[in-house]
Every structure is written in structure tokens, then in C-alpha cells.
């Protein structure tokens, strides 16, 4: 299949689901049909592509989904697509359906697969950043982060009520395998005393010292928000350390888990998903290939797929200083 005028596109969601993926699918399908393109939905990401689980879609197929969490196309992480045989089967299925452009809504792992596939088979691919972790280079926002962080805030606010009633120390573990954005944002927004994230080294003695000092001056309600991927990201293990070193603290743990991935997308996520979905199709139409559509400084920004990798960055130390001051 040669690059040229795209006539029929395939859309899929891949990797961890994120609220707003449905809004992005809707935008892709409707922009595609508006422009006279055929559109196919590929079920379960690359797994469905390999297994030929591919279905024609039209404007009606995406009615009443903009407000729904999860993804109507379902999602998966495919081992088979990492093999040349898997990608060959995927290509044959695309050819059979006459699909000559692909839109992949997912994270950096999904983009890596798209890049390899596109190099091998010359299929134009466009990525849309869909992950609650907000850890992709080339975009300030990812589809799902805003909803996930607001879910965490809502939950932590509730924990604070019971925590305050009992004068307790709570450790709340939020998602973020490699990134601390959910922890940082939700922690600041809920007035956490300490926030532990993978981007920063945690000085456990310093943490214990600050919590003990608060205990001494009878500040008994203390909230520690940890990102699961950090050095002390396992809230239960951290609680054991704290209980051992500050036995007087009445310590409890709450792991928010997958609740953060579900739910109706926020207005912000619906907007960015709609915006990015529209530009993904536009990109294919004008021959812009193998890029991720992102947003930087409120403007659409295109990043080559091989550069749209997991963002390893240091989260501003200034924020950590502010957290300390505001929690005093
Ligand atoms: O989508 C990203 C993420 O939510 C991470 O923060 C988390 O570690 C991971 O997915 C868990 O995914 P799963 O349970 O699907 O393996």
C-alpha cells in the first residue's frame, strides 16, 4: 500500500483505556465521513487488527458516546503485534478491507508499534495521546488525565472527611507507573502534606521527620499522596514503615486503583479528544503521516511518532516547595 490519497481509514484504541477515548473515536468517525472517507473501527487495538476484528462505521455508530468512559472499540496490549508475523497478518487484513490510513488512540507503546508497522508497510499512521498518566512527549495534555485527576480529587476529599473525624494519617496511592502527575495535581488540589512521585527521590527520613514534627505539635490529620510507580509507591509498604517509626500515628491506607481510569470524561477531556480527533483525520487528508497530534500552549502540535515517547522529566522543584509551605 503506497502513500497517496487516503480513501478509507481505520481507528483503534490501544493500551490502557482513558476517559475521552470515545469522544476521540466519535470525532474521527464523523470527520472521516464528512470528508467522504470510509471508516472502520478496529476492535481491541492491534489484537483486533491481527485477528481481523474490523467493522465498518458511520456517523450513527458513534451516536451517544461522547459522554461515556471506557472505549466502544475496546482495548488491549498486543504481544503478537511486536512480531513480524503479527504485523504481516495485520497488513493483510488492512488490505482486505481497503484501509489505507490508521489512527491509533493510545500511549507511547502503541505509537512505537505504529512507527514500526508504518516503516515496514508504508501505512500512514496518526497517533492521539490517550492515557491518564500524562507522560507523553510532544503534548501538554493527554486524553483522560483531567478526568482521572478529578476522580482522584473527589475521592481524596471524601477520605479527608473521615480522616479529619478520626485525626488520622492517610496514605493514598494513585496511579502513575512512571509519572507523578496524577499524584502531584491531586495532592496539591486536596492539600496533601506530602506527595511522593517517581520523578523525585524520596528521602524517607525527611518524610518521617516532617510527619513526627506534625504529630508533636498535634497536627494529627496528615495526608500523604503517593504515585504507584515511585520508590515508596506501594502505600501498604510505606504504611508499615510509618507505623514502625511513628507508632502513635493512627495510620490508614487507601489505594484508588482503576476507579481513576473510568467514568464520564470531563469537559476538558471531551474538548481535547474532539479537537485532536478532527486534526488526526485532517492530517491524513493532507498527507501528514506518522505523527502524534498533541497540544502545546493551547495550539495543535505535531510530533513524529518516534519522538512521542514516554516523557521522563523532573517535576518542578518549586511545586514541592509550595506543597511543604502550604501544608505547614
Ligand atoms: O494507563 C496507565 C496506567 O493507568 C498506569 O498508571 C497503571 O500502572 C497502569 O495503567 C495499569 O494498567 P493495567 O491494569 O491495565 O495493566
Amino acid at each position: 500500500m503506497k502513500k497517496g490519497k487516503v480513501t478509507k481509514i481505520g481507528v483503534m484504541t490501544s493500551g490502557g483505556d482513558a476517559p475521552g477515548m470515545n469522544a476521540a473515536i466519535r470525532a474521527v468517525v464523523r470527520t472521516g465521513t464528512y470528508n467522504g472517507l470510509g471508516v472502520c473501527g478496529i476492535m481491541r487495538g492491534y489484537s483486533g487488527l491481527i485477528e481481523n476484528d474490523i467493522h465498518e462505521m458511520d456517523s450513527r455508530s458513534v451516536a451517544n458516546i461522547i459522554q461515556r468512559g471506557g472505549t466502544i472499540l475496546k482495548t488491549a496490549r498486543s504481544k503478537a503485534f511486536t512480531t513480524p508475523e503479527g504485523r504481516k497478518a495485520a497488513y493483510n487484513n488492512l488490505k482486505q478491507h481497503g484501509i489505507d490510513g490508521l489512527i491509533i488512540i493510545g500511549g507511547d507503546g502503541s505509537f512505537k508499534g505504529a512507527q514500526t508497522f508504518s516503516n515496514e508497510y508504508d501505512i500512514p499512521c496518526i497517533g492521539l495521546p490517550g492515557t491518564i498518566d500524562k507522560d507523553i512527549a510532544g503534548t501538554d495534555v493527554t486524553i483522560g488525565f483531567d478526568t482521572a485527576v478529578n476522580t482522584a480529587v473527589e475521592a481524596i476529599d471524601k477520605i479527608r472527611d473521615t480522616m479529619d473525624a478520626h485525626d488520622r494519617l492517610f496514605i493514598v496511592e494513585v496511579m502513575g507507573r512512571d509519572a507523578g502527575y496524577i499524584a502531584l495535581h491531586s495532592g496539591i488540589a486536596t492539600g496533601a502534606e506530602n506527595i511522593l512521585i517517581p520523578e523525585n527521590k524520596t528521602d524517607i527520613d525527611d518524610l518521617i521527620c516532617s510527619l513526627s514534627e506534625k504529630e508533636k505539635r498535634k497536627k494529627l490529620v496528615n495526608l500523604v499522596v503517593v504515585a504507584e510507580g515511585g520508590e515508596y509507591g506501594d502505600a501498604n509498604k510505606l504504611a508499615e514503615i510509618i507505623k514502625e517509626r511513628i507508632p502513635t500515628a493512627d495510620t490508614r491506607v487507601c489505594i484508588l486503583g482503576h476507579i481513576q481510569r473510568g467514568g464520564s470524561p470531563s469537559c476538558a477531556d471531551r474538548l481535547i479528544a474532539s479537537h485532536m480527533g478532527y486534526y488526526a483525520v485532517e492530517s491524513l487528508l493532507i498527507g501528514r503521516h506518522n505523527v502524534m497530534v498533541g497540544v502545546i500552549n493551547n495550539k495543535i502540535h505535531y510530533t513524529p511518532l518516534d519522538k512521542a515517547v514516554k516523557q521522563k522529566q523532573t517535576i518542578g522543584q518549586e511545586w514541592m516547595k509550595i506543597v511543604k509551605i502550604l501544608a505547614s
Side-chain angles (χ1 to χ4, degrees), residues 130-161:
T131 164
I132 63 165
D133 291 345
K134 199 171 91 75
D135 58 350
I136 305 221
T139 186
D140 294 338
V141 290
T142 60
I143 297 165
F145 172 74
D146 184 68
T147 309
V149 85
N150 276 299
T151 299
V153 165
E154 205 182 312
I156 298 171
D157 282 347
K158 288 179 179 157
I159 290 166
R160 225 181 223 291
D161 290 344

PDB file of all heavy atoms in Angstrom, residues 130-161:
ATOM      1  N   GLY A 130      -3.680   9.103  24.325  1.00  0.00           N
ATOM      2  CA  GLY A 130      -4.770   8.729  25.229  1.00  0.00           C
ATOM      3  C   GLY A 130      -4.191   7.973  26.404  1.00  0.00           C
ATOM      4  O   GLY A 130      -3.874   6.790  26.291  1.00  0.00           O
ATOM      5  N   THR A 131      -3.996   8.634  27.502  1.00  0.00           N
ATOM      6  CA  THR A 131      -3.520   7.982  28.733  1.00  0.00           C
ATOM      7  C   THR A 131      -3.795   8.892  29.921  1.00  0.00           C
ATOM      8  O   THR A 131      -3.604  10.110  29.825  1.00  0.00           O
ATOM      9  CB  THR A 131      -2.014   7.644  28.690  1.00  0.00           C
ATOM     10  OG1 THR A 131      -1.570   7.371  30.034  1.00  0.00           O
ATOM     11  CG2 THR A 131      -1.153   8.764  28.147  1.00  0.00           C
ATOM     12  N   ILE A 132      -4.199   8.278  31.030  1.00  0.00           N
ATOM     13  CA  ILE A 132      -4.483   9.100  32.210  1.00  0.00           C
ATOM     14  C   ILE A 132      -3.187   9.613  32.845  1.00  0.00           C
ATOM     15  O   ILE A 132      -3.215  10.513  33.670  1.00  0.00           O
ATOM     16  CB  ILE A 132      -5.305   8.335  33.273  1.00  0.00           C
ATOM     17  CG1 ILE A 132      -4.534   7.136  33.825  1.00  0.00           C
ATOM     18  CG2 ILE A 132      -6.656   7.913  32.714  1.00  0.00           C
ATOM     19  CD1 ILE A 132      -5.133   6.574  35.109  1.00  0.00           C
ATOM     20  N   ASP A 133      -2.050   9.028  32.444  1.00  0.00           N
ATOM     21  CA  ASP A 133      -0.794   9.362  33.135  1.00  0.00           C
ATOM     22  C   ASP A 133      -0.147  10.680  32.690  1.00  0.00           C
ATOM     23  O   ASP A 133       0.735  11.191  33.363  1.00  0.00           O
ATOM     24  CB  ASP A 133       0.222   8.217  32.961  1.00  0.00           C
ATOM     25  CG  ASP A 133      -0.188   6.970  33.723  1.00  0.00           C
ATOM     26  OD1 ASP A 133      -1.076   7.070  34.591  1.00  0.00           O
ATOM     27  OD2 ASP A 133       0.380   5.895  33.452  1.00  0.00           O
ATOM     28  N   LYS A 134      -0.542  11.204  31.551  1.00  0.00           N
ATOM     29  CA  LYS A 134       0.016  12.464  31.001  1.00  0.00           C
ATOM     30  C   LYS A 134       1.548  12.412  30.897  1.00  0.00           C
ATOM     31  O   LYS A 134       2.234  13.342  31.286  1.00  0.00           O
ATOM     32  CB  LYS A 134      -0.423  13.653  31.882  1.00  0.00           C
ATOM     33  CG  LYS A 134      -0.300  15.016  31.165  1.00  0.00           C
ATOM     34  CD  LYS A 134      -0.937  16.125  31.959  1.00  0.00           C
ATOM     35  CE  LYS A 134      -0.001  16.837  32.904  1.00  0.00           C
ATOM     36  NZ  LYS A 134       0.917  17.755  32.246  1.00  0.00           N
ATOM     37  N   ASP A 135       2.042  11.307  30.361  1.00  0.00           N
ATOM     38  CA  ASP A 135       3.500  11.129  30.360  1.00  0.00           C
ATOM     39  C   ASP A 135       4.064  10.972  28.950  1.00  0.00           C
ATOM     40  O   ASP A 135       4.984  10.203  28.714  1.00  0.00           O
ATOM     41  CB  ASP A 135       3.875   9.914  31.226  1.00  0.00           C
ATOM     42  CG  ASP A 135       3.214   8.623  30.748  1.00  0.00           C
ATOM     43  OD1 ASP A 135       2.335   8.690  29.878  1.00  0.00           O
ATOM     44  OD2 ASP A 135       3.597   7.553  31.231  1.00  0.00           O
ATOM     45  N   ILE A 136       3.483  11.719  27.991  1.00  0.00           N
ATOM     46  CA  ILE A 136       3.939  11.569  26.606  1.00  0.00           C
ATOM     47  C   ILE A 136       4.598  12.870  26.141  1.00  0.00           C
ATOM     48  O   ILE A 136       4.043  13.958  26.342  1.00  0.00           O
ATOM     49  CB  ILE A 136       2.746  11.230  25.697  1.00  0.00           C
ATOM     50  CG1 ILE A 136       2.064   9.997  26.269  1.00  0.00           C
ATOM     51  CG2 ILE A 136       3.168  11.064  24.247  1.00  0.00           C
ATOM     52  CD1 ILE A 136       1.600   8.981  25.361  1.00  0.00           C
ATOM     53  N   ALA A 137       5.752  12.729  25.519  1.00  0.00           N
ATOM     54  CA  ALA A 137       6.457  13.903  24.999  1.00  0.00           C
ATOM     55  C   ALA A 137       5.696  14.465  23.797  1.00  0.00           C
ATOM     56  O   ALA A 137       5.101  13.707  23.032  1.00  0.00           O
ATOM     57  CB  ALA A 137       7.865  13.502  24.579  1.00  0.00           C
ATOM     58  N   GLY A 138       5.710  15.781  23.633  1.00  0.00           N
ATOM     59  CA  GLY A 138       5.101  16.403  22.463  1.00  0.00           C
ATOM     60  C   GLY A 138       3.681  16.880  22.685  1.00  0.00           C
ATOM     61  O   GLY A 138       2.994  17.266  21.750  1.00  0.00           O
ATOM     62  N   THR A 139       3.237  16.868  23.930  1.00  0.00           N
ATOM     63  CA  THR A 139       1.899  17.391  24.212  1.00  0.00           C
ATOM     64  C   THR A 139       1.802  17.810  25.684  1.00  0.00           C
ATOM     65  O   THR A 139       2.406  17.179  26.552  1.00  0.00           O
ATOM     66  CB  THR A 139       0.794  16.356  23.864  1.00  0.00           C
ATOM     67  OG1 THR A 139      -0.484  16.968  24.016  1.00  0.00           O
ATOM     68  CG2 THR A 139       0.860  15.096  24.713  1.00  0.00           C
ATOM     69  N   ASP A 140       1.083  18.893  25.918  1.00  0.00           N
ATOM     70  CA  ASP A 140       0.866  19.337  27.306  1.00  0.00           C
ATOM     71  C   ASP A 140      -0.272  18.564  27.950  1.00  0.00           C
ATOM     72  O   ASP A 140      -0.399  18.560  29.169  1.00  0.00           O
ATOM     73  CB  ASP A 140       0.466  20.831  27.338  1.00  0.00           C
ATOM     74  CG  ASP A 140       1.582  21.742  26.867  1.00  0.00           C
ATOM     75  OD1 ASP A 140       2.752  21.312  26.912  1.00  0.00           O
ATOM     76  OD2 ASP A 140       1.291  22.882  26.454  1.00  0.00           O
ATOM     77  N   VAL A 141      -1.112  17.973  27.118  1.00  0.00           N
ATOM     78  CA  VAL A 141      -2.308  17.301  27.647  1.00  0.00           C
ATOM     79  C   VAL A 141      -2.448  15.920  27.015  1.00  0.00           C
ATOM     80  O   VAL A 141      -1.980  15.692  25.906  1.00  0.00           O
ATOM     81  CB  VAL A 141      -3.598  18.110  27.328  1.00  0.00           C
ATOM     82  CG1 VAL A 141      -3.653  19.395  28.122  1.00  0.00           C
ATOM     83  CG2 VAL A 141      -3.717  18.402  25.835  1.00  0.00           C
ATOM     84  N   THR A 142      -3.058  15.006  27.743  1.00  0.00           N
ATOM     85  CA  THR A 142      -3.393  13.713  27.145  1.00  0.00           C
ATOM     86  C   THR A 142      -4.869  13.433  27.454  1.00  0.00           C
ATOM     87  O   THR A 142      -5.385  13.876  28.491  1.00  0.00           O
ATOM     88  CB  THR A 142      -2.527  12.556  27.706  1.00  0.00           C
ATOM     89  OG1 THR A 142      -2.726  12.471  29.120  1.00  0.00           O
ATOM     90  CG2 THR A 142      -1.057  12.746  27.416  1.00  0.00           C
ATOM     91  N   ILE A 143      -5.496  12.717  26.553  1.00  0.00           N
ATOM     92  CA  ILE A 143      -6.917  12.399  26.735  1.00  0.00           C
ATOM     93  C   ILE A 143      -7.068  11.515  27.971  1.00  0.00           C
ATOM     94  O   ILE A 143      -6.437  10.455  28.048  1.00  0.00           O
ATOM     95  CB  ILE A 143      -7.457  11.678  25.470  1.00  0.00           C
ATOM     96  CG1 ILE A 143      -7.371  12.604  24.253  1.00  0.00           C
ATOM     97  CG2 ILE A 143      -8.887  11.185  25.692  1.00  0.00           C
ATOM     98  CD1 ILE A 143      -7.542  11.889  22.908  1.00  0.00           C
ATOM     99  N   GLY A 144      -7.829  11.953  28.937  1.00  0.00           N
ATOM    100  CA  GLY A 144      -8.090  11.140  30.127  1.00  0.00           C
ATOM    101  C   GLY A 144      -7.485  11.670  31.412  1.00  0.00           C
ATOM    102  O   GLY A 144      -7.972  11.362  32.496  1.00  0.00           O
ATOM    103  N   PHE A 145      -6.421  12.463  31.300  1.00  0.00           N
ATOM    104  CA  PHE A 145      -5.746  12.921  32.524  1.00  0.00           C
ATOM    105  C   PHE A 145      -6.669  13.789  33.375  1.00  0.00           C
ATOM    106  O   PHE A 145      -6.787  13.591  34.591  1.00  0.00           O
ATOM    107  CB  PHE A 145      -4.464  13.703  32.175  1.00  0.00           C
ATOM    108  CG  PHE A 145      -3.836  14.359  33.385  1.00  0.00           C
ATOM    109  CD1 PHE A 145      -3.151  13.599  34.317  1.00  0.00           C
ATOM    110  CD2 PHE A 145      -3.959  15.723  33.607  1.00  0.00           C
ATOM    111  CE1 PHE A 145      -2.593  14.182  35.453  1.00  0.00           C
ATOM    112  CE2 PHE A 145      -3.413  16.317  34.738  1.00  0.00           C
ATOM    113  CZ  PHE A 145      -2.725  15.544  35.661  1.00  0.00           C
ATOM    114  N   ASP A 146      -7.327  14.738  32.738  1.00  0.00           N
ATOM    115  CA  ASP A 146      -8.155  15.676  33.520  1.00  0.00           C
ATOM    116  C   ASP A 146      -9.256  14.940  34.291  1.00  0.00           C
ATOM    117  O   ASP A 146      -9.493  15.220  35.467  1.00  0.00           O
ATOM    118  CB  ASP A 146      -8.765  16.733  32.579  1.00  0.00           C
ATOM    119  CG  ASP A 146      -9.535  17.781  33.351  1.00  0.00           C
ATOM    120  OD1 ASP A 146      -8.906  18.561  34.086  1.00  0.00           O
ATOM    121  OD2 ASP A 146     -10.785  17.795  33.287  1.00  0.00           O
ATOM    122  N   THR A 147      -9.889  13.991  33.623  1.00  0.00           N
ATOM    123  CA  THR A 147     -10.949  13.221  34.302  1.00  0.00           C
ATOM    124  C   THR A 147     -10.360  12.410  35.449  1.00  0.00           C
ATOM    125  O   THR A 147     -10.908  12.403  36.560  1.00  0.00           O
ATOM    126  CB  THR A 147     -11.632  12.257  33.302  1.00  0.00           C
ATOM    127  OG1 THR A 147     -12.011  12.994  32.149  1.00  0.00           O
ATOM    128  CG2 THR A 147     -12.853  11.585  33.925  1.00  0.00           C
ATOM    129  N   ALA A 148      -9.238  11.733  35.180  1.00  0.00           N
ATOM    130  CA  ALA A 148      -8.638  10.867  36.205  1.00  0.00           C
ATOM    131  C   ALA A 148      -8.234  11.669  37.434  1.00  0.00           C
ATOM    132  O   ALA A 148      -8.476  11.258  38.572  1.00  0.00           O
ATOM    133  CB  ALA A 148      -7.428  10.146  35.619  1.00  0.00           C
ATOM    134  N   VAL A 149      -7.643  12.822  37.207  1.00  0.00           N
ATOM    135  CA  VAL A 149      -7.166  13.611  38.336  1.00  0.00           C
ATOM    136  C   VAL A 149      -8.362  14.168  39.125  1.00  0.00           C
ATOM    137  O   VAL A 149      -8.327  14.241  40.358  1.00  0.00           O
ATOM    138  CB  VAL A 149      -6.154  14.686  37.849  1.00  0.00           C
ATOM    139  CG1 VAL A 149      -6.800  15.942  37.366  1.00  0.00           C
ATOM    140  CG2 VAL A 149      -5.149  14.992  38.937  1.00  0.00           C
ATOM    141  N   ASN A 150      -9.422  14.489  38.433  1.00  0.00           N
ATOM    142  CA  ASN A 150     -10.623  14.966  39.148  1.00  0.00           C
ATOM    143  C   ASN A 150     -11.302  13.839  39.920  1.00  0.00           C
ATOM    144  O   ASN A 150     -11.846  14.066  40.998  1.00  0.00           O
ATOM    145  CB  ASN A 150     -11.591  15.641  38.172  1.00  0.00           C
ATOM    146  CG  ASN A 150     -11.181  17.097  37.960  1.00  0.00           C
ATOM    147  OD1 ASN A 150     -11.162  17.879  38.903  1.00  0.00           O
ATOM    148  ND2 ASN A 150     -10.808  17.445  36.743  1.00  0.00           N
ATOM    149  N   THR A 151     -11.242  12.625  39.374  1.00  0.00           N
ATOM    150  CA  THR A 151     -11.761  11.460  40.114  1.00  0.00           C
ATOM    151  C   THR A 151     -10.957  11.283  41.399  1.00  0.00           C
ATOM    152  O   THR A 151     -11.511  11.044  42.473  1.00  0.00           O
ATOM    153  CB  THR A 151     -11.647  10.184  39.249  1.00  0.00           C
ATOM    154  OG1 THR A 151     -12.437  10.369  38.083  1.00  0.00           O
ATOM    155  CG2 THR A 151     -12.125   8.940  39.988  1.00  0.00           C
ATOM    156  N   ALA A 152      -9.640  11.415  41.278  1.00  0.00           N
ATOM    157  CA  ALA A 152      -8.778  11.262  42.461  1.00  0.00           C
ATOM    158  C   ALA A 152      -9.090  12.356  43.483  1.00  0.00           C
ATOM    159  O   ALA A 152      -9.210  12.074  44.682  1.00  0.00           O
ATOM    160  CB  ALA A 152      -7.307  11.309  42.048  1.00  0.00           C
ATOM    161  N   VAL A 153      -9.269  13.569  43.023  1.00  0.00           N
ATOM    162  CA  VAL A 153      -9.559  14.694  43.939  1.00  0.00           C
ATOM    163  C   VAL A 153     -10.879  14.439  44.680  1.00  0.00           C
ATOM    164  O   VAL A 153     -10.964  14.599  45.906  1.00  0.00           O
ATOM    165  CB  VAL A 153      -9.612  16.030  43.155  1.00  0.00           C
ATOM    166  CG1 VAL A 153     -10.259  17.139  43.989  1.00  0.00           C
ATOM    167  CG2 VAL A 153      -8.210  16.449  42.734  1.00  0.00           C
ATOM    168  N   GLU A 154     -11.873  14.011  43.929  1.00  0.00           N
ATOM    169  CA  GLU A 154     -13.184  13.758  44.545  1.00  0.00           C
ATOM    170  C   GLU A 154     -13.075  12.679  45.626  1.00  0.00           C
ATOM    171  O   GLU A 154     -13.628  12.808  46.719  1.00  0.00           O
ATOM    172  CB  GLU A 154     -14.138  13.300  43.444  1.00  0.00           C
ATOM    173  CG  GLU A 154     -15.594  13.578  43.758  1.00  0.00           C
ATOM    174  CD  GLU A 154     -16.480  13.058  42.634  1.00  0.00           C
ATOM    175  OE1 GLU A 154     -16.173  13.338  41.463  1.00  0.00           O
ATOM    176  OE2 GLU A 154     -17.438  12.349  42.945  1.00  0.00           O
ATOM    177  N   ALA A 155     -12.321  11.635  45.314  1.00  0.00           N
ATOM    178  CA  ALA A 155     -12.158  10.535  46.276  1.00  0.00           C
ATOM    179  C   ALA A 155     -11.370  11.000  47.505  1.00  0.00           C
ATOM    180  O   ALA A 155     -11.725  10.691  48.642  1.00  0.00           O
ATOM    181  CB  ALA A 155     -11.451   9.364  45.597  1.00  0.00           C
ATOM    182  N   ILE A 156     -10.302  11.753  47.261  1.00  0.00           N
ATOM    183  CA  ILE A 156      -9.449  12.175  48.390  1.00  0.00           C
ATOM    184  C   ILE A 156     -10.211  13.157  49.294  1.00  0.00           C
ATOM    185  O   ILE A 156     -10.070  13.127  50.518  1.00  0.00           O
ATOM    186  CB  ILE A 156      -8.103  12.762  47.894  1.00  0.00           C
ATOM    187  CG1 ILE A 156      -7.318  11.697  47.118  1.00  0.00           C
ATOM    188  CG2 ILE A 156      -7.270  13.264  49.081  1.00  0.00           C
ATOM    189  CD1 ILE A 156      -6.065  12.205  46.401  1.00  0.00           C
ATOM    190  N   ASP A 157     -11.029  14.012  48.689  1.00  0.00           N
ATOM    191  CA  ASP A 157     -11.858  14.917  49.508  1.00  0.00           C
ATOM    192  C   ASP A 157     -12.712  14.111  50.487  1.00  0.00           C
ATOM    193  O   ASP A 157     -12.877  14.472  51.649  1.00  0.00           O
ATOM    194  CB  ASP A 157     -12.783  15.760  48.625  1.00  0.00           C
ATOM    195  CG  ASP A 157     -12.050  16.932  47.967  1.00  0.00           C
ATOM    196  OD1 ASP A 157     -10.914  17.224  48.376  1.00  0.00           O
ATOM    197  OD2 ASP A 157     -12.630  17.541  47.040  1.00  0.00           O
ATOM    198  N   LYS A 158     -13.243  13.005  50.009  1.00  0.00           N
ATOM    199  CA  LYS A 158     -14.091  12.163  50.871  1.00  0.00           C
ATOM    200  C   LYS A 158     -13.247  11.506  51.966  1.00  0.00           C
ATOM    201  O   LYS A 158     -13.669  11.400  53.116  1.00  0.00           O
ATOM    202  CB  LYS A 158     -14.808  11.088  50.042  1.00  0.00           C
ATOM    203  CG  LYS A 158     -15.896  11.706  49.197  1.00  0.00           C
ATOM    204  CD  LYS A 158     -16.621  10.705  48.347  1.00  0.00           C
ATOM    205  CE  LYS A 158     -17.703  11.443  47.571  1.00  0.00           C
ATOM    206  NZ  LYS A 158     -18.118  10.769  46.362  1.00  0.00           N
ATOM    207  N   ILE A 159     -12.060  11.063  51.576  1.00  0.00           N
ATOM    208  CA  ILE A 159     -11.165  10.449  52.573  1.00  0.00           C
ATOM    209  C   ILE A 159     -10.841  11.477  53.653  1.00  0.00           C
ATOM    210  O   ILE A 159     -10.786  11.169  54.837  1.00  0.00           O
ATOM    211  CB  ILE A 159      -9.879   9.928  51.891  1.00  0.00           C
ATOM    212  CG1 ILE A 159     -10.222   8.719  51.020  1.00  0.00           C
ATOM    213  CG2 ILE A 159      -8.805   9.571  52.921  1.00  0.00           C
ATOM    214  CD1 ILE A 159      -9.149   8.312  50.052  1.00  0.00           C
ATOM    215  N   ARG A 160     -10.665  12.733  53.227  1.00  0.00           N
ATOM    216  CA  ARG A 160     -10.326  13.779  54.192  1.00  0.00           C
ATOM    217  C   ARG A 160     -11.407  13.930  55.269  1.00  0.00           C
ATOM    218  O   ARG A 160     -11.108  14.182  56.437  1.00  0.00           O
ATOM    219  CB  ARG A 160     -10.143  15.121  53.478  1.00  0.00           C
ATOM    220  CG  ARG A 160      -8.904  15.807  53.993  1.00  0.00           C
ATOM    221  CD  ARG A 160      -8.647  17.133  53.391  1.00  0.00           C
ATOM    222  NE  ARG A 160      -7.237  17.286  53.067  1.00  0.00           N
ATOM    223  CZ  ARG A 160      -6.270  17.401  53.948  1.00  0.00           C
ATOM    224  NH1 ARG A 160      -6.523  17.357  55.240  1.00  0.00           N
ATOM    225  NH2 ARG A 160      -5.023  17.553  53.557  1.00  0.00           N
ATOM    226  N   ASP A 161     -12.656  13.768  54.887  1.00  0.00           N
ATOM    227  CA  ASP A 161     -13.739  13.893  55.880  1.00  0.00           C
ATOM    228  C   ASP A 161     -13.564  12.885  57.005  1.00  0.00           C
ATOM    229  O   ASP A 161     -13.579  13.236  58.179  1.00  0.00           O
ATOM    230  CB  ASP A 161     -15.108  13.661  55.213  1.00  0.00           C
ATOM    231  CG  ASP A 161     -15.488  14.791  54.277  1.00  0.00           C
ATOM    232  OD1 ASP A 161     -14.865  15.886  54.372  1.00  0.00           O
ATOM    233  OD2 ASP A 161     -16.394  14.598  53.449  1.00  0.00           O
TER     234      ASP A 161
END
